[in-house]
Amino acid sequence: KAIVDNYLSTELITVSVDEYGVKGLELFHQKKNEYALLHLNNFRKQLIQHNLRIISLYYDRISLKRAAALIGAGLDEVETELCEIINNKLFVARIDRPSGIINFKTK
């Protein structure tokens, strides 16, 4: 229940999978489920994307470095997830890679 409440909030949440205690669940347990690692990676990906959506609500423009620091993930990981969100048209943003700036736009 706490995971869902955090995910539905408009606040940044931790992307550390260990903090949520999901590894004990059968879906994420490697000995019981051959796809457990894939599920854990997808869960982390969703947490990062949630945080990017929240950042887009509060910032018009932010550096990629700062976004990664707020989220608690690596630059490459944040950029990859941001590109996926943009390609899926969940929100409109542009990445200025030479300067490392993300410009969020409203639809």
Side-chain angles (χ1 to χ4, degrees):
K1 181 172 175 4
I3 297 169
V4 175
D5 290 339
N6 284 341
Y7 194 77
L8 294 176
S9 73
T10 56
E11 298 176 3
L12 294 176
I13 57 178
T14 182
V15 296
S16 173
V17 176
D18 295 332
E19 301 253 342
Y20 296 100
V22 296
K23 288 190 177 180
L25 300 174
E26 187 174 334
L27 180 66
F28 299 104
H29 199 276
Q30 291 183 348
K31 290 182 181 175
K32 295 181 182 177
N33 188 341
E34 61 187 86
Y35 299 108
L37 189 57
L38 177 66
H39 294 311
L40 281 172
N41 290 336
N42 282 335
F43 181 58
R44 179 173 166 81
K45 174 181 161 175
Q46 293 301 318
L47 295 173
I48 292 170
Q49 288 185 4
H50 164 82
N51 285 339
L52 284 168
R53 285 190 298 273
I54 299 305
I55 287 173
S56 76
L57 296 175
Y58 294 104
Y59 288 87
D60 292 330
R61 185 180 150 136
I62 188 171
S63 74
L64 193 56
K65 232 184 228 186
R66 176 69 177 144
L70 286 172
I71 292 171
L75 285 172
D76 291 339
E77 197 172 17
V78 169
E79 185 176 358
T80 300
E81 297 311 323
L82 182 60
C83 289
E84 186 172 319
I85 286 174
I86 293 168
N87 287 336
N88 290 333
K89 299 182 182 182
L90 296 174
F91 60 72
V92 179
R94 292 191 182 223
I95 305 170
D96 181 2
R97 283 196 172 131
S99 62
I101 301 291
I102 306 166
N103 290 305
F104 296 105
K105 306 213 186 294
T106 58
K107 284 188 172 183

